[in-house]
Amino acid sequence: MPRKEIGLESTIDYLSILDTKGKPDKDLEPRIGKELLLDMHRAMVRARRFDEHQLRWQRQGRLGTFAPVIGQEASQIGTVAVLDDQDWMVPAYRQSAAALWRGTPLAGLLLYNAGYNEGGEIPEGQNDLPIAIPVASQIPHAVGIGYALKQEGSGHLAMTYFGDGATSEGDFHEAMNFAGVFNTPTIFVCENNQYAISVPREKQTRAGTLAQKAIAYGIPGIQVDGNDILAVYSAASEAAERARKGDGPTLIECVTYRMAVHTTADDPGKYRTQKEEEQWQKKDPIERFRKYLTARKLLNKKKIESLEEELEKEVKSAWDEAEQRMAELDRHPEVMFDHLYGEMPAYLGTQRKAMTDEDDDANG
Amino acid sequence: MAQNKVTTLQAINTALHEAMAQDDSILVFGEDVADPEEGGVNGATRGLSTEFGESRVRSTPISEQAIIGAAIGSAMAGMRPVAEIMLMNFSTVAMDMIVNHAAKLRYMSGGQTAVPLTIRVTTGAGFGTAGQHSDYLEAWFAHTAGLKVVTGSTPAETAGLLKACIFDDDPCIFIENLPAYWQKGEAPEPGQTIPLGKARIAREGSDVTVVTYGPQVAVAEAAAEQLAEEKITVEVVDLRTIQPWDRDTVLNAVAKTGRAVVSHEAVRAFGVGAEISSVIHEELFDQLRAPVQRVGAPSTAVPYSKALESAFVPDADKVVAAIRKTLK
C-alpha cells in the first residue's frame, strides 16, 4: 500500500497593484472609468470623515458604542463597487463604508449608533441586510441569499463581509462548505484587519493565510493588499464575474489594518505598539489612492479641499437630521412592540396599549 | 368526508407535497431530506425531491447553523424555506441563527424584512433515545419574541398547522412528536389549513378544563374518559399554537368550569404551563374555584432506560390526579 503525496491543485494568489507611493504595476492596473475612480475616492473619504466625527460625538456621549471603519476603506469600497443594484450586500458590524456606498443615509447610521433600530432601515430597493452583531453569523445568510438568487436564475450575487476573527467561527466554515457544495453566487470578503478585538491574527490561526481556507472547501481564494483599492477592485471583479457566470463562490482576503479602535469600548494602546501603527499609517489606503489619482491628473489639491468642505457640511447636517428624529422617537417608547410579527398578536397589542397609557399618565 | 386513516408521518408528507405544489418559492433544506438520501431519516420528506427536483429539496451537509442560516438568507430573498432539524435537541447548535436572527430580523430592520421560515423539529420520549435526542424545548422558543411555536395533536391537525406555518410570514418552530409519527388518525382534508393562534376544544366538559398541546392532548382525553365514569366531565383545550397562544379560548374555557389543569410533556418547572397558569390566575382569580394545577415532567433530563423514561412522561393517571386536586 503506498504512502504518497496527494497533489493539491489549488494555489492562492497574492495581488497588489499600487505601491506605497501610489504607482501602479502597469501589467496589473485595472481599467476603471474616471468617474468610478473619483466616486470611489469620494466614498472612502466620506466614510473616514464620517467616522472621525462619530468618534468625537461618541466621546461626548451623544452616540453609543460603534465600530469605526477607519483604515479599511479600500477593502470595502473596492469590493462593494463591483455590485449592481440587484446584488445583495450582507454586512457584519463595521461596514459603514460599504453601506454608505450602497445608499444608506448618514443620518440613518447616526440614528442607529445612537441606539435607535429605526436608523437601521434600509432604503427601498437597496438589497442589503441589516448589520449583524454575532460574529460570522451573517455569512450563512449570504449563502442562502445566493441560493435564492441562483434558484431565480437571476445572474445576481450576494457579497458578505467579516473579519479575521470570524474565520474561527463555525458559521464561517459551515457557510463556505455550503456555498461550495451548492455552488452559490456568493463572494466572501474577509477584511483581515490584523486583530479580533485584541487577539492578533497569528493567534487566530496557524494557517499562513486566511485565503487558503478556501482550498479545503474546493472554492477559489485570493489574498489581496487590502489597502490597495485597485488590487481589491480587480480581485472582486474577477469573483463577481465568476459568480455571475454560475461558477460559484470566492473567498477574498483583504490584508488591511484597523487604524482606529475595535469599537469605542476598547483601547488599542493596550495590545498594539505605536511602531506598528506608524508602519501601517504609511500604507494608508486613502493617501495611496490619492497619489495615484493625482499622478493621473484626476485629482488636485483644490479638488480635495472642496470635497472635504462639502463632506464636512454633509456630516453636520446629517447630525441635525438624526437629532430631530431621535427627539420624535423618544416620545414613543411603545414602538418597541412594533415589527415583531407580521400581524401584531393580541397580547402584544395589550402590552403596547398599557405602555401608551402609562406614558400619557406620566405626561399628565 | 375523509374516511382513510393515515399516520402523522403520512399527513406531514402530504402537507409538504401540497404546499410545494401550490408555491414554487417553497424550498426544503435539511440532513438526508432528498430521495437519494432516503427522503428524511423518518421519511417525512420522501418523494419531494423526485417530484419537485433537487434544487428545491436539498440534502445538506451536517451543519445546523448553516441550514438555518441559509434558510434565513433565502427567506429574506423571497423564498419560503422549510428547514428540517432532525431532532429538537440539535436546534441548540443553531440557537444563534434562530434567536438572534430569524426571530429578530423583522424587528431590527424596522419591519423591512420578513423571515417566512418554518423549522421542523422532531422530539419526544418513548423510544429510549435519551436526553440528547428527546428534550422538549418549546418554552425556550416561546420565550423568544418574534418566533411562533406550533404543534399538532393528530395527523390532520399536524398537516393543517404545518401548512399554516409554511404560508405564514413569520418564523415558526414546528414541533413534531416522534412516537406520534406512527400513530393513525383521520386523513387531513385536501387543501385544509388551520389558522395559527387559534386553540380548539378537543373535548367538551363542564367540571374542569385541561389546557394542553401535542401528544398530551390524547393523554388528557384518556384522563377525561376515566373521570367520565364518575360523572366528572372534563373540557380539553388543544392549544395548537403555543406562542402566541389563544388566550380568549383558554380563558373562556376555564371561566366556564372555574377549574384548570395545564399539562405538557416538557419539564414542569419554568415550562409553558407556568405562563398559562399565571395568566389564568391573573385574569380569572375571582372565578376560580381552586388553584390551577400543572402537570409536566420532573426536573431532569429525559432518561434512557425504558422504565425510567416511562416514569418521566406524564401519563393519564397524573392528569387525573391533578384534576382531582382541583375538585377537592
Side-chain angles (χ1 to χ4, degrees):
Chain A
M1 288 294 108
R3 174 180 174 145
K4 59 178 188 180
E5 189 178 303
I6 297 173
L8 295 176
E9 284 170 18
S10 305
T11 55
I12 295 291
D13 281 356
Y14 173 80
L15 178 65
S16 178
I17 298 174
L18 284 180
D19 67 15
T20 49
K21 295 194 178 87
K23 199 168 164 250
D25 180 322
K26 285 287 172 197
D27 295 335
L28 295 171
E29 187 181 5
R31 297 163 74 93
I32 307 177
K34 287 175 187 174
E35 203 177 322
L36 180 55
L37 284 170
L38 288 173
D39 281 351
M40 293 200 295
H41 169 260
R42 182 180 189 281
M44 288 167 77
V45 182
R46 186 167 177 248
R48 181 167 301 184
R49 296 298 171 254
F50 180 57
D51 267 3
E52 288 165 352
H53 276 89
Q54 285 205 105
L55 279 169
R56 278 196 289 277
W57 289 325
Q58 195 278 338
R59 299 301 184 214
Q60 293 163 4
R62 296 205 259 180
L63 293 179
T65 302
F66 76 99
V69 71
I70 299 172
Q72 299 173 219
E73 296 88 349
S75 296
Q76 286 182 26
I77 299 299
T79 43
V80 77
V82 308
L83 299 185
D84 64 34
D85 291 347
Q86 298 303 305
D87 294 328
W88 285 69
M89 197 280 282
V90 182
Y93 48 74
R94 197 191 300 284
Q95 278 65 42
S96 52
L100 290 169
W101 175 273
R102 297 278 287 172
T104 299
L106 294 173
L109 288 178
L110 283 171
L111 198 60
Y112 192 85
N113 290 338
Y116 298 81
N117 275 344
E118 289 76 4
E121 281 172 19
I122 290 154
E124 198 60 38
Q126 185 180 321
N127 285 337
D128 296 3
L129 290 198
I131 74 167
I133 303 295
V135 169
S137 59
Q138 72 284 5
I139 310 175
H141 301 166
V143 176
I145 292 172
Y147 194 86
L149 295 172
K150 188 179 165 187
Q151 189 71 12
E152 288 161 355
S154 67
H156 296 297
L157 64 91
M159 176 179 278
T160 185
Y161 292 88
F162 50 91
D164 40 311
T167 63
S168 299
E169 290 276 10
D171 299 64
F172 165 77
H173 295 278
E174 293 191 11
M176 294 271 287
N177 189 45
F178 254 56
V181 171
F182 296 168
N183 200 37
T184 61
T186 313
I187 302 178
F188 300 94
V189 180
C190 176
E191 293 181 63
N192 170 8
N193 68 11
Q194 312 303 326
Y195 289 89
I197 305 187
S198 65
V199 177
R201 150 69 185 83
E202 62 275 15
K203 286 188 185 167
Q204 202 64 242
T205 173
R206 189 164 157 176
T209 68
L210 300 176
Q212 75 197 56
K213 291 176 188 278
I215 296 173
Y217 301 107
I219 71 174
I222 184 167
Q223 187 186 56
V224 300
D225 180 343
N227 284 11
D228 168 0
I229 193 159
L230 298 189
V232 174
Y233 184 87
S234 292
S237 299
E238 279 173 26
E241 197 187 328
R242 189 174 293 132
R244 292 188 205 288
K245 274 199 321 211
D247 291 341
T250 306
L251 170 63
I252 302 173
E253 176 190 359
C254 298
V255 180
T256 182
Y257 195 71
R258 196 185 75 212
M259 288 168 76
V261 290
H262 160 65
T263 70
T264 45
D266 79 324
D267 172 11
K270 290 184 179 152
Y271 53 80
R272 307 199 297 209
T273 63
Q274 207 182 335
K275 196 177 154 205
E276 180 187 289
E277 289 182 3
E278 281 164 6
Q279 275 169 353
W280 278 96
Q281 197 78 43
K282 289 178 197 152
K283 299 183 201 167
D284 185 324
I286 295 181
E287 288 309 314
R288 255 158 106 181
F289 193 34
R290 275 187 176 172
K291 285 175 190 160
Y292 169 76
L293 295 173
T294 308
R296 283 192 54 181
K297 306 226 182 314
L298 295 172
L299 209 58
N300 55 38
K301 212 175 155 198
K302 211 176 136 206
K303 282 185 182 164
I304 291 173
E305 272 167 19
S306 97
L307 172 66
E308 296 282 5
E309 267 171 47
E310 176 205 328
L311 293 176
E312 179 76 13
K313 273 188 215 150
E314 191 197 0
V315 174
K316 288 202 167 140
S317 99
W319 174 263
D320 294 340
E321 191 187 331
E323 207 168 34
Q324 200 180 340
R325 191 84 199 283
M326 287 178 223
E328 283 162 26
L329 291 166
D330 284 343
R331 287 196 286 272
H332 297 285
E334 71 276 11
V335 299
M336 73 170 70
F337 298 107
D338 297 348
H339 308 306
L340 270 167
Y341 295 96
E343 244 175 83
M344 186 177 286
Y347 76 98
L348 279 182
T350 311
Q351 289 184 25
R352 194 183 196 279
K353 190 175 178 302
M355 190 172 275
T356 317
D357 294 349
E358 222 171 80
D359 219 43
D360 288 348
D361 290 348
N363 295 332
Chain B
M1 283 297 289
Q3 298 294 330
N4 297 338
K5 295 270 183 180
V6 297
T7 64
T8 307
L9 210 43
Q10 286 169 327
I12 291 168
N13 187 265
T14 306
L16 289 167
H17 269 97
E18 271 186 19
M20 290 194 79
Q22 204 178 323
D23 186 341
D24 287 344
S25 70
I26 296 170
L27 306 175
V28 171
F29 287 129
E31 291 154 18
D32 311 279
V33 297
D35 289 332
E37 293 77 36
E38 69 181 330
V41 286
N42 296 306
T45 53
R46 198 156 293 158
L48 293 175
S49 71
T50 304
E51 188 169 343
F52 301 105
E54 279 194 63
S55 70
R56 287 182 67 193
V57 182
R58 213 73 221 216
S59 291
T60 65
I62 306 181
S63 308
E64 281 77 11
Q65 294 178 79
I67 292 169
I68 303 301
I72 290 169
S74 71
M76 287 189 290
M79 298 291 150
R80 222 169 247 291
V82 181
E84 177 176 309
I85 296 293
M86 192 187 292
L87 293 164
M88 192 174 209
N89 280 86
F90 303 163
S91 67
T92 58
V93 182
M95 279 308 254
D96 173 49
M97 284 300 157
I98 299 171
V99 173
N100 288 324
H101 300 278
K104 299 201 178 102
L105 276 159
R106 181 194 283 278
Y107 184 70
M108 294 182 75
S109 68
Q112 286 188 306
T113 290
V115 184
L117 160 68
T118 301
I119 302 175
R120 292 181 44 243
V121 297
T122 304
T123 197
F127 288 163
T129 50
Q132 291 169 339
H133 268 49
S134 41
D135 262 336
Y136 303 86
L137 307 178
E138 58 266 30
W140 293 10
F141 296 113
H143 194 71
T144 302
L147 297 177
K148 292 180 180 174
V149 185
V150 180
T151 192
S153 56
T154 69
E157 285 280 315
T158 302
L161 290 165
L162 175 57
K163 273 188 284 177
C165 287
I166 294 172
F167 290 106
D168 194 81
D169 286 338
D170 291 312
C172 297
I173 309 289
F174 190 77
I175 305 168
E176 297 166 14
N177 182 264
L178 186 68
Y181 270 164
W182 294 277
Q183 284 164 12
K184 287 193 168 185
E186 269 182 31
E189 297 283 345
Q192 182 201 24
T193 59
I194 296 172
L196 300 184
K198 290 273 171 232
R200 79 178 169 116
I201 306 296
R203 181 187 175 104
E204 292 205 32
S206 55
D207 296 318
V208 183
T209 304
V210 178
V211 181
T212 185
Y213 54 85
Q216 279 284 301
V217 173
V219 175
E221 285 170 333
E225 208 56 45
Q226 274 186 42
L227 289 165
E229 291 163 18
E230 300 170 33
K231 303 266 183 286
I232 299 167
T233 68
V234 176
E235 177 131 323
V236 178
V237 180
D238 175 3
L239 275 186
R240 293 167 157 171
T241 303
I242 298 170
Q243 167 65 7
W245 59 284
D246 182 354
R247 285 160 195 246
D248 288 347
T249 300
V250 169
L251 293 176
N252 286 337
V254 176
K256 188 172 97 176
T257 62
R259 297 184 178 90
V261 170
V262 190
S263 163
H264 49 60
E265 286 191 10
V267 168
R268 195 177 91 134
F270 299 95
V272 168
E275 169 69 9
I276 293 170
S277 165
S278 289
V279 172
I280 294 171
H281 282 117
E282 283 163 4
E283 300 295 325
L284 299 175
F285 191 71
D286 296 345
Q287 295 165 65
L288 288 179
R289 298 184 207 183
V292 178
Q293 297 298 311
R294 287 182 291 148
V295 176
S299 297
T300 182
V302 182
Y304 191 9
S305 89
K306 195 77 201 153
L308 268 61
E309 189 187 45
S310 302
F312 175 89
V313 180
D315 57 11
D317 288 347
K318 289 208 174 81
V319 178
V320 166
I323 290 171
R324 288 198 197 284
K325 248 180 138 176
T326 68
L327 291 165
K328 272 186 191 158

